Amino acid sequence: MSAEAADPAAVPRRRSRPRIDLRRLGRVALLGPVPRDRLSDAIGHVADAHRAHHPDADLTILHRAYVLAESSHRGQMRKSGEPYITHPLAVTLILAELGAETTTLTASLLHDTVEDTEVTLDQVREQFGEEVCYLVDGVTKLEKVDYGAAAEPETFRKMLVATGNDVRVMSIKLADRLHNMRTLTVMRPEKQARIAKVTRDVLIPLAERLGVQALKTELEDLVFAILNPEEYEDTRALIAAVTDESDPLAPIADCVRATLREAGISAEVLIRPRHFVSVHRVRRKRGELRPTDFGRLLVLVGEDADCYAVLGELHTCFTPVISEFKDFIAAPKFNLYQSLHTAVVGPEGAVAEVLIRTHRMHKVAEAGVVALGNPYAPDLTAAQQAEPSDERADPTRPGWLSRLLDWQESATDPDTFWTTLRADLAQDREITVFGTDGRTLGLPAGASCVDAAYAQHGERAHTCIGARVNGRLATLSTVLSDGDTVQLLLAQDTASGPSPEWLDHARTPAARIAITGWLSAHPDAPGPESEGPAEPAADGPQPTAPARTRSGGRAANVVVDGPESPTRLAGCCTPVPPDEVVGIVVRGGAVTVHRQECPAVARMREIGRPPVAARWREEEDGGRDTAACRVTLVAESFGRPRLLADLTEAIATADAAIVSATVEPPSEQRVRHTYTLQLPDAAGLPALMRAMRDVAGVYDVSRAQHPAATG
């Protein structure tokens, strides 16, 4: 089935076998009440389509599945009035034309039997085996999901869970939705619109992610017709107006064929009509459509090297439009898509877009993961078979789906899941980065070191303090590029956690959900920034109230003048005994204790908001409390190899734990390190600072004085 044909009948036929017009056969299968012997013709069409891709396929299991499906659905009718068996037949025909293997087609024929008939999963397992049972069960779970608008967040979480680790479940669901969309006109207009919106928002992006362009493009056209009827009619009229005219791409295609023939390159050159939505997008992009904008040239060759040979000939013999060139062979898309894209100026100045790919690439471009066959077939490598597991390791599953399945378990809030799912599906490009051990990580374009940390280490990434990118120290906010080598640096203090700023740099759902979860579970953990002050407390004398603040899980005691309220040490200046301190009343009535010289205190005085008095609480023996504390230090140094390692070793030797750290990019060979550290005793701070100053290359260590908001 063509991924781009506005009219499938207009697509040139492949020489290797006659093309099957899915829509025509869909109509054959949907001819209303007919004798039972006519229905067997439909399974014959399925068998023909299947054999075209798999000549040696055993069709016995398909015939047995059809017999069970037909007998179990006998007497059931669709809302359109056709016998119900026409639906699983049409769904199976769609998948057969895409090249799905026998197991998938068998499950497709049976995909509604367990839900809508007396057939049980045990019967399916007994008659057709564990694989078919697994797929039928997965699709059945999807069918039980309520697609109501209010249920959407939980709906699609269940979809991913039901899909499990087998993309064939989702392939059957997409084919099922395509056939339902083809016959949606029997529904009320409001229900048509609701189903179309769900299809547009999630199912079409999922089809794109799975690389099943043949399903995705027809779904787009059907949704377009329902949700944008006027624009659809305008586009249909434009396409109809050029259908009766001579195709302006034909002479360019002839020139390309001649050029490649003279160069000795064996290639098939086809004209690919654009589908409705594609024409609509080009029209919106360019305003005025060129005569050649209604299609593209497709050049199919045998080997990868031939693709570049074709490209060289085209760019040599025609004038190329350089801005249109894209190489998706060297850098495949996230959905397995590979092709060379270019545009050339043909005779009389006509511009033609050209797609260049191998026959294998074309099959994957059309059918995506469906074209990759059964990943659980008995011919798996011995190593794979030797490692049985409850998890189904699918070698065809794209990395994005693995990540979705992982982070959906952590997104306990349905609204968070829904928002994150749609944001993740909106990503249209992936990058690959490498660990120092050679391990690869697939990340969305724009991902940072924060994303890489959570992708590689999971919740251990909470303790990440920095990274090396291509051998150089980098901040966690550094945006990664395709091919970068990343080494994540983790602190030994497993109790430390991320700061709220990490959310500004996190692009992946896994990172954002993990960071948000940690911050929610540790609301009192001091961060690197202070909070803006609130309105001053009510006038009049207030009693002095000792308040016990928490710092890194251990207590430090201060006394503030005011009503008893939550009190904590400021993250901007991280005061420790014996610092002179004052309190600032912040939003919600809490008190944040700052060092006297903190810039936040000065700003409070400037705007007429006097701070409240605060002091360290004296112990009964007369000594000042020197319990565990958290402090932020800034180390200024000259850049040199192993500097970070030597600094962290000095910190560890002083019995301090690193909570978080940032390393700014070098400037004139100078490097600025900022560490938030956990000390077992505030009295050890001077010795710690001396030890850090003694590290070769470090010329200054000072207490941090971060700016604080004044709110």
Side-chain angles (χ1 to χ4, degrees), residues 196-469:
K197 287 177 182 177
V198 173
T199 303
R200 176 198 63 192
D201 290 344
V202 174
L203 290 176
I204 287 176
L206 281 173
E208 170 79 7
R209 289 270 169 156
L210 292 173
V212 194
Q213 295 296 316
L215 300 185
K216 178 228 176 188
T217 52
E218 189 177 348
L219 283 172
E220 282 186 325
D221 283 350
L222 292 167
V223 168
F224 185 39
I226 293 172
L227 298 183
N228 306 93
E230 294 182 0
E231 292 175 315
Y232 175 84
E233 283 301 321
D234 289 344
T235 305
R236 188 193 61 77
L238 282 173
I239 294 174
V242 301
T243 300
D244 298 332
E245 302 175 3
S246 59
D247 193 335
L249 287 173
I252 304 178
D254 291 337
C255 290
V256 170
R257 291 188 188 100
T259 298
L260 299 181
R261 187 165 51 248
E262 290 175 5
I265 300 174
S266 177
E268 185 177 0
V269 181
L270 307 173
I271 297 176
R272 299 266 291 174
R274 291 183 183 272
H275 65 105
F276 288 89
V277 171
S278 181
V279 171
H280 176 67
R281 287 171 180 159
V282 173
R283 187 185 184 190
R284 292 185 62 183
K285 176 182 177 182
R286 297 199 178 124
E288 190 72 24
L289 285 172
R290 302 179 303 216
T292 54
D293 283 337
F294 291 89
R296 292 187 284 190
L297 297 185
L298 172 64
V299 181
L300 298 176
V301 295
E303 304 292 338
D304 290 12
D306 295 337
C307 295
Y308 293 98
V310 169
L311 181 71
E313 290 297 324
L314 294 183
H315 282 195
T316 300
C317 301
F318 299 87
T319 301
V321 182
I322 301 301
S323 61
E324 297 292 327
F325 173 68
K326 297 181 181 66
D327 187 346
F328 295 117
I329 295 178
K333 287 189 176 183
F334 57 82
N335 59 2
L336 312 176
Y337 177 87
Q338 289 184 288
S339 187
L340 295 177
H341 290 201
T342 190
V344 296
V345 180
E348 302 180 2
V351 177
E353 295 183 38
V354 186
L355 310 176
I356 308 167
R357 59 182 70 143
T358 66
H359 290 280
R360 171 65 174 170
M361 292 175 191
H362 181 55
K363 183 177 180 181
V364 174
E366 291 281 274
V369 295
V370 177
L372 299 179
N374 181 1
Y376 313 108
D379 60 352
L380 287 174
T381 63
Q384 289 172 308
Q385 292 179 343
E387 298 179 2
S389 171
D390 292 336
E391 294 293 326
R392 297 164 65 88
D394 188 343
T396 72
R397 188 175 73 192
W400 67 268
L401 183 57
S402 297
R403 294 195 298 273
L404 283 181
L405 291 169
D406 290 340
W407 62 253
Q408 66 84 21
E409 297 179 358
S410 303
T412 55
D413 175 31
D415 291 331
T416 300
F417 170 78
W418 177 242
T419 302
T420 311
L421 171 64
R422 296 183 65 175
D424 191 79
L425 291 177
Q427 302 294 335
D428 60 357
R429 191 167 68 87
E430 279 196 347
I431 61 171
T432 300
V433 299
F434 300 87
T436 53
D437 58 356
R439 180 187 307 177
T440 61
L441 291 175
L443 298 169
S448 68
C449 291
V450 170
D451 299 302
Y454 282 95
Q456 180 171 346
H457 297 292
E459 291 191 355
R460 283 191 60 210
H462 292 330
T463 65
C464 193
I465 59 173
R468 289 183 181 272
V469 178

Side-chain angles (χ1 to χ4, degrees), residues 23-46:
R23 292 179 182 175
R24 179 178 60 80
L25 291 180
R27 290 192 293 270
V28 170
L30 297 172
L31 283 178
V34 293
R36 287 182 56 198
D37 58 348
R38 285 291 304 278
L39 290 175
S40 61
D41 292 341
I43 192 63
H45 292 313
V46 170

Side-chain angles (χ1 to χ4, degrees), residues 58 105 129 211 260 279 290 300 327 389 455 466 478 522 593 605 676:
D58 181 4
L105 299 185
L260 299 181
V279 171
R290 302 179 303 216
L300 298 176
D327 187 346
S389 171
T478 301
H522 301 80
V593 178
R605 290 194 173 101
T676 298

Side-chain angles (χ1 to χ4, degrees), residues 129-194:
E130 191 62 43
E131 285 295 319
V132 172
C133 178
Y134 183 91
L135 298 179
V136 171
D137 185 37
V139 179
T140 300
K141 290 175 181 176
L142 292 183
E143 295 299 325
K144 291 180 179 179
V145 171
D146 177 15
Y147 280 83
E152 282 179 350
E154 194 59 29
T155 291
F156 292 103
R157 180 200 296 273
K158 291 176 181 176
M159 280 184 63
L160 288 176
V161 174
T163 298
N165 292 330
D166 198 324
V167 294
R168 293 176 294 174
V169 174
M170 187 58 70
S171 300
I172 297 171
K173 179 59 187 177
L174 289 171
D176 174 78
R177 175 52 61 95
L178 174 56
H179 182 246
N180 284 333
M181 289 293 295
R182 287 176 178 173
T183 59
L184 202 59
T185 53
V186 299
M187 301 287 186
R188 299 187 309 276
E190 60 271 19
K191 189 167 185 179
Q192 290 184 41
R194 179 171 64 82

Side-chain angles (χ1 to χ4, degrees), residues 107-127:
S108 177
L109 282 169
L110 301 170
H111 79 270
D112 278 336
T113 55
V114 173
E115 180 185 10
D116 296 336
T117 75
E118 299 299 320
V119 176
T120 66
L121 276 176
D122 288 337
Q123 288 176 288
V124 173
R125 182 183 294 107
E126 180 181 350
Q127 294 187 42

